[in-house]
Amino acid sequence: MGQTPRTLQPSLSERHFFGAELRRLREQAKLSQARLGAMIRFSSDLVRRVETADRFPSREFVEACDRALAAGGALVRLLPLLEEERGRATLPSGPTRAGALLAAQGEEMAGVAEMVVRVPFQPGVLDRAALGWLNASAGPRLSVAGRAGSPDQVCEEDLDSAEAALAMFRQLDHTHGAGRVHAQVQRYVERELNRLLAGPPASEAAGRHLYTLAAGFFELCGYQAVDTGAHGLAQRRYLRALRLTEAAGDRLYGSYLLAVNIGHLALHCGHPEPARRMALTAVRGSEALLTPAVAATLHAVVARTHARLGREGDCLLHLDIAEKQLARSKPEDEPAWIRYFDAAYLADEIAHCFHDLGQPQQTQRHLGDALTALSPTHVRRLAIDTALLASSLVAAGRLDEACATAREAVDYAARTSSHRCLQRIVEVQVDLEPYRCKPEVREFGEYVHHRLPLAAV
């Protein structure tokens, strides 16, 4: 028997008024709290708490609800009133799903939880950044200063050490997710990387190496921000990395950041059209420099954006280009930072395309290729792709297999500290919601509550 919703008194406070409006709009849209939570990438429990005026909503939460419920700005316009009441209140605002995850990972992540709330993703700034990159002058923009042998001069030995640290952090991130590694990376950037950036490079080659390496660190920091749900913070870090590639004169790496990192982020935040523009700008701006593997990754992102927009023909055209380019690639001729992109990673991108196009059988075929070839150490990717496989099995009506596969995804996700993994487990549960009376679906829900409570809906 369902629980009777708490009676609100809209005139009692701004928080009560907002909760009542949110509930009214949600019910008008015929959405459950769980379904709305999955759509906006927050927990159903947070939706319930905001509706019952037990929690102040964050700006990110309000903006996401306004978009999902087609409120036309009605909820966003209440933000100044909510923030004024929050300033008067003694109770802290409620955490987002990402904030809850971060809080569970210890006090060292509290600063990131704050950034999740305070830094929104801003698609409007992307075109200006892409245009600036496209029109940037060729060649590095760096100065080589200081006397030879000066103690503050940055030499190749310093850079080799930083390169090894970046490789280690990337591997830890793949295995554990950002929650357990982010603080270590942040400390390294603040102490060691910033020290190197403040010193004069020993040569122009060392300067180019330094700025490209720094771009790699900020790319990783951005990816980790995505993995903790801090999408606005991720955007800032990716744009910082893009500017560093301009300083290094590394246009090829810049094209990758613009399409793969910034484009994927826009896609992840529900903005496929800006994502498409970023990826196409990257292709046009580096066409003469593209290696086969980099070209494959860029066209795969273009394909992803077309799939999200429902343009199957355009999607398949760019997937065909990506496959042909990757077939030409020789790892020894590729930049070190792109050598991870192999047939398994392309299969993953293709599977996501077919999932967005609503073709579960094709999704399953390509996910099979991706999962078979994935390294066991890439636990986060295993969790995300296994959960996507479960969703495609639900769409195909294969409930027993879907629930069994979803359990595997939960087991992988439980080994990480990744907000993205939690999101995918939530999405599987939403996909299973029409079948919630089936015993296997109920058992799966109980398994999530036991094994991964933060993802339970």
Side-chain angles (χ1 to χ4, degrees):
M1 186 172 178
Q3 190 176 23
T4 303
R6 171 182 172 184
T7 301
L8 290 170
Q9 298 176 317
S11 61
L12 188 62
S13 71
E14 291 88 342
R15 194 169 17 153
H16 277 255
F17 184 84
F18 182 87
E21 280 297 285
L22 178 59
R23 180 184 290 171
R24 181 183 66 80
L25 289 167
R26 177 180 61 76
E27 291 177 345
Q28 182 178 295
K30 296 182 170 56
L31 294 174
S32 66
Q33 291 173 339
R35 182 59 183 164
L36 176 61
M39 288 172 66
I40 64 174
R41 303 184 185 279
F42 288 85
S43 70
S44 59
D45 183 62
L46 181 59
V47 175
R48 178 185 65 79
R49 287 173 179 270
V50 171
E51 285 191 2
T52 55
D54 288 330
R55 289 285 186 272
F56 280 103
S58 67
R59 173 175 289 275
E60 187 181 48
F61 179 93
V62 173
E63 291 174 346
C65 286
D66 198 281
R67 288 193 299 270
L69 298 172
L75 294 177
V76 172
R77 284 192 288 273
L78 296 174
L79 265 171
L81 296 175
L82 286 168
E83 288 168 358
E84 185 178 339
E85 184 188 353
R86 192 202 308 267
R88 298 192 305 265
T90 56
L91 291 174
S93 64
T96 61
R97 169 172 291 278
L101 173 61
L102 293 169
Q105 291 158 358
E107 293 181 4
E108 66 180 358
M109 297 300 292
V112 179
E114 275 298 304
M115 294 304 289
V116 173
V117 176
R118 293 186 180 183
V119 185
F121 174 74
Q122 298 174 299
V125 308
L126 296 182
D127 287 314
R128 186 168 66 252
L131 187 62
W133 173 82
L134 192 62
N135 294 324
S137 58
R141 299 199 303 274
L142 49 91
S143 60
V144 180
R147 300 185 308 276
S150 173
D152 62 343
Q153 200 168 55
V154 181
C155 63
E156 285 295 338
E157 186 178 344
D158 296 317
L159 299 176
D160 289 343
S161 176
E163 194 100 57
L166 180 58
M168 176 193 71
F169 286 136
R170 279 176 170 157
Q171 185 56 56
L172 288 171
D173 178 75
H174 281 309
T175 304
H176 301 294
R180 299 183 196 172
V181 186
H182 180 275
Q184 299 171 47
V185 178
Q186 195 63 34
R187 279 195 295 270
Y188 187 91
V189 168
E190 290 170 356
R191 297 172 185 173
E192 187 61 21
L193 183 65
N194 284 343
R195 180 187 68 79
L196 295 177
L197 288 170
S203 64
E204 185 175 309
R208 286 196 300 270
H209 187 183
L210 169 61
Y211 286 125
T212 299
L213 181 60
F217 269 100
F218 279 98
E219 179 201 351
L220 175 59
C221 287
Y223 194 82
Q224 292 190 316
V226 175
D227 204 30
T228 57
H231 302 139
L233 181 58
Q235 180 181 23
R236 291 187 179 190
R237 288 171 168 173
Y238 284 155
L239 291 175
R240 173 83 184 274
L242 185 66
R243 290 192 295 272
L244 283 162
T245 63
E246 290 178 32
D250 194 340
R251 198 161 185 80
L252 191 61
Y253 190 20
S255 71
Y256 174 87
L257 289 166
L258 192 62
V260 178
N261 294 101
I262 297 172
H264 264 148
L265 176 61
L267 199 62
H268 182 71
C269 292
H271 299 281
E273 189 54 47
R276 186 185 70 86
R277 293 199 298 272
M278 296 306 100
L280 287 175
T281 299
V283 171
R284 286 195 296 269
S286 60
E287 205 160 10
L289 303 170
L290 289 177
T291 65
V294 178
T297 59
L298 269 53
H299 283 282
V301 179
V302 178
R304 288 282 302 273
T305 65
H306 282 301
R308 189 67 62 85
L309 290 164
R311 301 170 182 166
E312 183 175 353
D314 290 327
C315 171
L316 295 178
L317 173 65
H318 285 279
L319 285 181
D320 183 59
I321 295 172
E323 288 182 301
K324 287 176 178 174
Q325 287 287 349
L326 190 60
R328 294 177 48 232
S329 176
K330 296 178 181 178
E332 63 273 15
D333 296 333
E334 299 285 352
W337 45 262
I338 197 62
R339 289 175 192 164
Y340 78 90
F341 193 83
D342 55 14
Y345 270 86
L346 181 57
D348 172 90
E349 295 280 29
I350 296 171
H352 278 82
C353 287
F354 282 116
H355 181 71
D356 286 341
L357 290 169
Q359 299 183 28
Q361 284 77 21
Q362 288 276 47
T363 303
Q364 290 156 30
R365 180 167 73 85
H366 291 287
L367 278 175
D369 294 339
L371 287 165
T372 300
L374 266 178
S375 166
T377 62
H378 286 207
V379 180
R380 178 177 51 209
R381 175 58 58 192
L382 286 166
I384 291 170
D385 281 1
T386 305
L388 186 66
L389 179 58
S391 289
S392 72
L393 289 166
V394 175
R398 295 156 63 181
L399 283 187
D400 283 342
E401 292 176 70
C403 289
T405 303
R407 279 179 176 246
E408 292 179 31
V410 169
D411 290 338
Y412 283 127
R415 291 166 53 192
T416 73
S417 298
S418 166
H419 180 251
R420 292 176 61 216
C421 289
L422 292 181
Q423 286 178 334
R424 282 301 309 143
I425 301 302
V426 169
E427 287 164 16
V428 172
Q429 292 171 89
V430 171
D431 292 335
L432 286 166
E433 190 179 359
Y435 311 98
R436 59 186 176 274
C437 294
K438 298 282 187 180
E440 58 268 42
V441 176
R442 286 202 306 271
E443 288 171 9
F444 172 65
E446 291 167 3
Y447 189 73
V448 177
H449 274 277
H450 169 73
R451 189 84 170 89
L452 198 63
L454 282 172
V457 298

